[in-house]
Amino acid sequence: MHLRTWVFIHKWTSLVCTIFLLMLCLTGLPLVFHEEIEQLSGVVEAPPMPEGTANVSLDKIVQSALAAQPNKVVRYMFWDEEEHPNITIVSMASKVDAPPDEFWTVAIDSRTAKVLDQPNDQGFMAVMLQLHKDMYAGLPGQLFLGLMGLLLVIAVISGVVVYKPFMRKQDFGTVRKQKGRGVKWLDMHNLLGIVTVVWLTVVGATGIINTLDPIVLAVWQGDQLADMVKPYKNAPPMKDNGSVQAAYITAEKTAPDMGVRLIAFPGTAFADPHHYTAFMKGNTPLTARLLRPVLVDAQTGALTDTREMPWYVKALFVSQPLHFGDYGGLPLKIVWALLDILTIIILGSGLYLWAKKYLRHREAQGILADAEAEEAQRAGVLQQ
Amino acid sequence: MKVWFWPIVIGLLSAVGLLSGLLYDGLGDAVSWLALLVPVVLAVWYGWVRNHAADDSRA
């Protein structure tokens, strides 16, 4: 392709997505630190009790949740021992098949079944998350942002292609600060763009994959989940759920080297009407993300099936940490934030160069003319 | 080749940084943030700290 074509691609893919990317970078900045911010803003902690105090039955915890919210049902229970030790988070809704964005969170002490908090105020972080995820526009908004991510990746690739002719006569890292603002910001744009290229491509591509999560879920429901619960296809509906504690114990026995991360209740998006699905996490940084489903018959507490997730779910699971930067402690989050700020400067300088019509600058015209002469020469050689 | 040498080195370091924290705890995390700090340090050094007239000599 001609250099002018690449320049054209870089210019227009960037221009279309820049305003959305700026929004994503700005909202993403606090989201990187959401755990720290939540802790500072006083998320509830379980009171200290003697080391090794046993947990109560999960059925008791369900009762506590239902007592606190008698008009709701439990859809999910999950645990994060690192961030919230000794707390069971119960996610409730008006009915089991209510839309996924309707939920009510109850934090319960795992050892006493006491309700500690019902953290449901829509604060600053919830606004940031909603803007970042779908701009309050639901699935269409989410997929639209995925499309903007795709434009970003194309802008990055075309940016790498046009980097070379613009840097041919300069050493790596040259920023000509005395030659006027336009030239200085061109050099800055090139420098910041090329040093962040791998990180930005990975964060962009994994962001695109994350926008596909409802699709991944739907495919998994129709594929692996449907296959695992096939024997229950014509089973009569259950009157009420059996013991979730029994399901928990079966799941732990089935995958003894893993821990339970989440239990989906019967009839939710992650389980059929006859099963609890326990999602198990491994104990290495990677396997902790690659959850494994264990389906337990909700009435009998017996194991129905467990399988490794299919590749497309694994791809989603691996994409999450690579997008969020939450897998290397606070130092990695700080680096993530710094790279995010560099990205904001790249976007801003790109916009500035466009507004200043840098491509009409003598230097840019010279580089494009040189490239065209070279392309013509190469074409001539090929024809001979 | 001259144009691509440092970008390739930085790109490889970034890839190592992105993966090591995901695959290994402890030392893996340290490698992760050190390697990903390289692009930040280079950007700050060349973009803001280094500020001599000599920078223009080759341009």
Side-chain angles (χ1 to χ4, degrees), chain A residues 54-362:
Chain A
N55 290 338
V56 296
S57 161
L58 294 179
D59 298 317
K60 274 247 170 65
I61 289 183
V62 170
Q63 282 170 13
S64 289
L66 291 173
Q69 294 294 333
N71 297 321
K72 296 190 193 297
V73 297
V74 176
R75 291 208 290 188
Y76 310 104
M77 288 178 135
F78 51 93
W79 298 267
D80 185 351
E81 283 304 321
E82 268 170 44
E83 290 299 327
H84 310 291
N86 300 315
I87 289 181
T88 301
I89 306 282
V90 181
S91 179
M92 307 181 79
S94 58
K95 45 189 199 319
V96 77
D97 55 353
D101 54 352
E102 188 217 306
F103 57 86
W104 184 265
T105 307
V106 184
I108 297 179
D109 192 317
S110 304
R111 303 152 305 179
T112 59
K114 199 174 148 228
V115 174
L116 298 171
D117 197 8
Q118 304 194 40
N120 290 285
D121 51 329
Q122 293 291 305
F124 172 73
M125 292 306 283
V127 175
M128 291 296 108
L129 179 62
Q130 213 58 51
L131 283 172
H132 193 88
K133 200 173 170 238
D134 61 13
M135 306 183 291
Y136 289 91
L139 183 60
Q142 191 170 329
L143 294 175
F144 176 81
L145 288 179
L147 188 67
M148 294 302 110
L150 189 63
L151 290 181
L152 166 75
V153 171
I154 298 171
V156 170
I157 292 168
S158 54
V160 171
V161 175
V162 303
Y163 175 81
K164 186 180 171 187
F166 284 84
M167 287 302 291
R168 196 144 45 182
K169 292 180 183 154
Q170 296 185 149
D171 281 337
F172 171 79
T174 303
V175 179
R176 294 163 291 171
K177 289 169 184 163
Q178 334 281 349
K179 298 240 159 141
R181 231 184 248 167
V183 168
K184 178 192 159 186
W185 281 106
L186 169 78
D187 287 348
M188 287 293 272
H189 188 76
N190 279 331
L191 167 67
L192 303 191
I194 205 71
V195 297
T196 56
V197 67
V198 168
W199 177 83
L200 186 55
T201 306
V202 168
V203 171
T206 52
I208 298 168
I209 296 173
N210 283 331
T211 64
L212 302 176
D213 66 356
I215 296 163
V216 170
L217 172 61
V219 173
W220 178 74
Q221 286 167 335
D223 172 23
Q224 189 181 67
L225 181 63
D227 200 45
M228 286 197 284
V229 301
K230 218 181 227 161
Y232 289 76
K233 211 171 166 190
N234 299 314
M238 304 189 307
K239 278 203 199 78
D240 52 280
N241 297 342
S243 165
V244 61
Q245 178 68 21
Y248 186 93
I249 291 168
T250 302
E252 279 201 316
K253 266 192 211 144
T254 307
D257 51 347
M258 300 178 97
V260 182
R261 172 87 176 81
L262 181 147
I263 291 185
F265 279 55
T268 59
F270 300 90
D272 80 322
H274 297 95
H275 288 88
Y276 287 106
T277 307
F279 289 89
M280 314 296 290
K281 59 177 227 158
N283 43 26
T284 73
L286 186 62
T287 57
R289 308 284 176 163
L290 296 173
L291 302 177
R292 180 188 184 93
V294 176
L295 272 89
V296 181
D297 184 308
Q299 294 279 268
T300 65
L303 174 71
T304 296
D305 201 351
T306 177
R307 293 186 197 173
E308 218 173 278
M309 281 291 195
W311 65 269
Y312 50 87
V313 179
K314 283 185 177 169
L316 175 67
F317 283 160
V318 172
S319 289
Q320 289 168 343
L322 285 171
H323 188 73
F324 306 148
D326 61 350
Y327 57 97
L330 186 57
L332 188 64
K333 291 183 185 182
I334 294 170
V335 176
W336 225 256
L338 293 171
L339 288 163
D340 182 288
I341 292 168
L342 291 184
T343 307
I344 294 174
I345 300 171
I346 297 168
L347 294 167
S349 57
L351 216 48
Y352 174 81
L353 291 168
W354 168 72
K356 283 275 171 187
K357 299 191 167 64
Y358 167 75
L359 284 171
R360 296 198 194 150
H361 187 278
R362 197 158 34 88

Side-chain angles (χ1 to χ4, degrees), chain B residues 4-34:
Chain B
W4 293 119
F5 180 77
W6 287 112
I8 288 171
V9 172
I10 298 161
L12 288 174
L13 273 174
S14 305
V16 167
L18 285 163
L19 288 177
S20 74
L22 202 55
L23 297 176
Y24 309 101
D25 260 335
L27 194 62
D29 288 341
V31 170
S32 188
W33 62 264
L34 278 176

